[in-house]
Amino acid sequence: MSNKTFLPLTLCLARLTAMSIAANAASTPAEDLVKADWSVNAAHNLASNPPSLNAVQDFYDRANGNEATLFQVCEFRFADLRNSGNLSLIVSVAPGSWGCTELNIYDKTPTGFEVYSGSGYGRDLANSVLDLSHDGRHELLLWAELALYSKWSHFHYGLSCGAKWPLIFAWNGNTYSDVSDQYKDYYSGYLKSVNARL
């Protein structure tokens, strides 16, 4: 397995090779994501009828084995990120007490599940899938650390907050790549909104 990660303001997406995940005999078909139909046209569409958080946690734990024991799923979203008619599962997880800083994308393929992994992108998956070109294709908007702000006090020295910058990723036929440079209009509008707040 390769083990690259997202890095702030750069793309380093890990493609963890296709893997098979055992079905959970105790789950109902609707709650067992291994058995579920991930297609956009499924009778039980996972995007409009999402499974429970427990079902996603179960899927995540089985996909990651022993490494998952300290990881808690924070939030998730299904979307057709590859624009293929099949859904992708985007999962934000918290490794231990570090907050929701890890991100995984699971794509169900004929040979198993392809997993793309990154870190440093945090939460807000509800507003992360957009159609920025208004062409029916989906982009994934993630927030990366732009700069960290350190604050000193009499009690401790540590990071108290950070500045974030939106990055735009899209499926290029091979992997999820940073396509931010193709969306100058989006960034122009974003900078205007930041200036208005200042």
Side-chain angles (χ1 to χ4, degrees):
M1 284 192 187
S2 61
N3 193 16
K4 299 176 190 173
T5 56
F6 287 113
L7 294 175
L9 299 181
T10 62
L11 170 68
C12 286
L13 253 174
R15 179 180 177 182
L16 306 177
T17 58
M19 62 180 173
S20 60
I21 302 170
N24 186 343
S27 297
T28 64
E31 286 289 291
D32 187 348
L33 297 179
V34 174
K35 296 178 190 173
D37 183 349
W38 288 39
S39 67
V40 171
N41 297 322
H44 184 89
N45 181 289
L46 293 169
S48 56
N49 300 296
S52 67
L53 185 63
N54 286 340
V56 175
Q57 183 72 56
D58 175 65
F59 175 85
Y60 179 85
D61 291 346
R62 286 186 287 144
N64 293 283
N66 293 334
E67 296 175 10
T69 55
L70 298 176
F71 286 69
Q72 179 180 355
V73 173
C74 301
E75 60 182 321
F76 67 92
R77 178 157 184 203
F78 280 92
D80 185 5
L81 289 181
R82 292 191 180 192
N83 302 293
S84 66
N86 289 310
L87 297 170
S88 300
L89 171 60
I90 311 149
V91 180
S92 171
V93 294
S97 60
W98 288 94
C100 303
T101 58
E102 301 293 318
L103 184 91
N104 286 348
I105 301 170
Y106 295 90
D107 289 309
K108 193 172 187 179
T109 70
T111 58
F113 288 90
E114 289 181 0
V115 185
Y116 297 82
S117 179
S119 62
Y121 289 92
R123 291 185 173 224
D124 195 24
L125 296 183
N127 300 309
S128 63
V129 178
L130 305 169
D131 179 2
L132 294 172
S133 300
H134 309 289
D135 60 0
R137 299 181 65 80
H138 295 105
E139 293 82 30
L140 183 62
L141 181 70
L142 300 174
W143 293 86
E145 296 289 348
L146 178 61
L148 297 173
Y149 170 73
S150 297
K151 182 177 180 182
W152 180 87
S153 74
H154 294 292
F155 303 105
H156 71 282
Y157 179 84
L159 298 175
S160 59
C161 66
K164 295 193 180 289
W165 182 254
L167 295 178
I168 301 165
F169 295 88
W171 180 251
N172 68 10
N174 252 346
T175 190
Y176 293 96
S177 59
D178 185 343
V179 293
S180 302
D181 61 347
Q182 298 174 26
Y183 293 93
K184 293 181 172 70
D185 289 344
Y186 168 81
Y187 286 105
S188 177
Y190 178 72
L191 289 172
K192 284 178 185 172
S193 72
V194 170
N195 284 331
R197 282 181 299 209
L198 293 176

